[in-house]
Amino acid sequence: NAGVMQNPRHLVRRRGQEARLRCSPMKGHSHVYWYRQLPEEGLKFMVYLQKENIIDESGMPKERFSAEFPKEGPSILRIQQVVRGDSAAYFCASSPGQANSPLHFGNGTRLTVT
Amino acid sequence: AQSVAQPEDQVNVAEGNPLTVKCTYSVSGNPYLFWYVQYPNRGLQFLLKYITGDNLVKGSYGFEAEFNKSQTSFHLKKPSALVSDSALYFCAVSSPTGANNLFFGTGTRLTVIP
């Protein structure tokens, strides 16, 4: 499967724990985007990264959330000290970076905070 | 700032009838507009995009969308709905002057009734 791979598909964490969500972009794609989807809501942009660089993090909460896309390996979205309000589906998308090329989405990670 | 509005949370249509899912946008400059579809427990799939050129854009699965600059709209259409078209549809916009990240509407749930 050469698509965007996200893991895990489902993640359960207790309040106060850390959540790590992984995303491997499509082959040949160097741009990664993270979105959050709350129940019955649209996707909210969180962060846009290229290899080793954060391009736009205007949608990221200022505290507890961080993202990286290292030179080697997947992109990681990290949520520290999770709270119930963090429960959502987190989607990763990738693109080759050409202007207005469509984003290709993974199947998401569903985070449940108990 | 760019944004899109999908005024209908839910659209019901009988199988075989034409369908329309509405979208209006707000963006500085010329918009780049997209439609995506989401099936249950899956990521978003790209349907079509408008960048420039003909106002009528054809996409996947028989869908098309009409760009109307004067009404700032980009409605999704299909001449004859299928039951398998039942899904969540998202309109999205990106700014031609900004990063390649997309801003999504809140989604419209399409139900095609057999």
Side-chain angles (χ1 to χ4, degrees):
Chain A
N1 185 346
V4 178
M5 301 301 294
Q6 289 188 249
N7 67 82
R9 286 298 307 274
H10 301 276
L11 182 61
V12 179
R13 285 288 177 266
R14 288 195 294 270
R15 279 181 298 172
Q17 290 185 320
E18 179 179 285
R20 279 181 180 247
L21 289 63
R22 295 175 184 77
C23 170
S24 296
M26 282 184 70
K27 187 176 182 180
H29 287 188
S30 58
H31 296 236
V32 165
Y33 311 78
W34 285 95
Y35 288 82
R36 176 165 61 178
Q37 185 178 34
L38 295 169
E40 303 304 319
E41 291 189 17
L43 276 74
K44 301 295 185 186
F45 168 75
M46 298 182 75
V47 63
Y48 164 33
L49 310 103
Q50 294 179 28
K51 286 282 187 182
E52 299 184 280
N53 285 309
I54 296 175
I55 306 303
D56 182 352
E57 57 181 348
S58 58
M60 286 276 273
K62 292 293 183 282
E63 298 178 349
R64 302 189 297 108
F65 285 72
S66 62
E68 63 177 7
F69 189 17
K71 186 176 181 181
E72 301 291 338
S75 175
I76 305 289
L77 179 66
R78 182 182 178 206
I79 311 172
Q80 295 178 290
Q81 299 173 343
V82 296
V83 300
R84 288 218 173 110
D86 296 333
S87 296
Y90 292 83
F91 289 95
C92 171
S94 72
S95 82
Q98 284 93 349
N100 303 302
S101 50
L103 302 187
H104 296 261
F105 283 82
N107 286 331
T109 293
R110 277 153 186 81
L111 172 66
T112 302
V113 179
T114 61
Chain B
Q2 50 267 28
S3 64
V4 293
Q6 293 181 244
E8 302 159 315
D9 292 335
Q10 173 84 38
V11 170
N12 296 328
V13 64
E15 186 178 21
N17 282 3
L19 69 87
T20 298
V21 183
K22 295 179 181 177
C23 171
T24 58
Y25 65 88
S26 173
V27 68
S28 300
N30 295 320
Y32 295 156
L33 296 158
F34 301 78
W35 275 102
Y36 284 79
V37 59
Q38 185 181 30
Y39 297 101
N41 299 313
R42 301 294 297 274
L44 276 68
Q45 296 179 30
F46 169 75
L47 280 179
L48 51 81
K49 68 178 179 181
Y50 172 83
I51 304 300
T52 186
D54 289 340
N55 289 343
L56 187 63
V57 178
K58 294 188 182 296
S60 307
Y61 313 120
F63 284 92
E64 58 189 28
E66 186 169 10
F67 172 66
N68 188 318
K69 189 172 184 178
S70 63
Q71 296 184 5
T72 62
S73 67
F74 189 56
H75 301 330
L76 181 71
K77 300 181 180 183
K78 187 172 182 180
S80 177
L82 302 172
V83 173
S84 58
D85 293 330
S86 298
L88 194 54
Y89 290 81
F90 289 98
C91 183
V93 65
S94 71
S95 170
T97 59
N100 201 29
N101 46 312
L102 295 178
F103 294 87
F104 287 86
T106 51
T108 298
R109 186 166 299 281
L110 172 68
T111 301
V112 180
I113 302 163

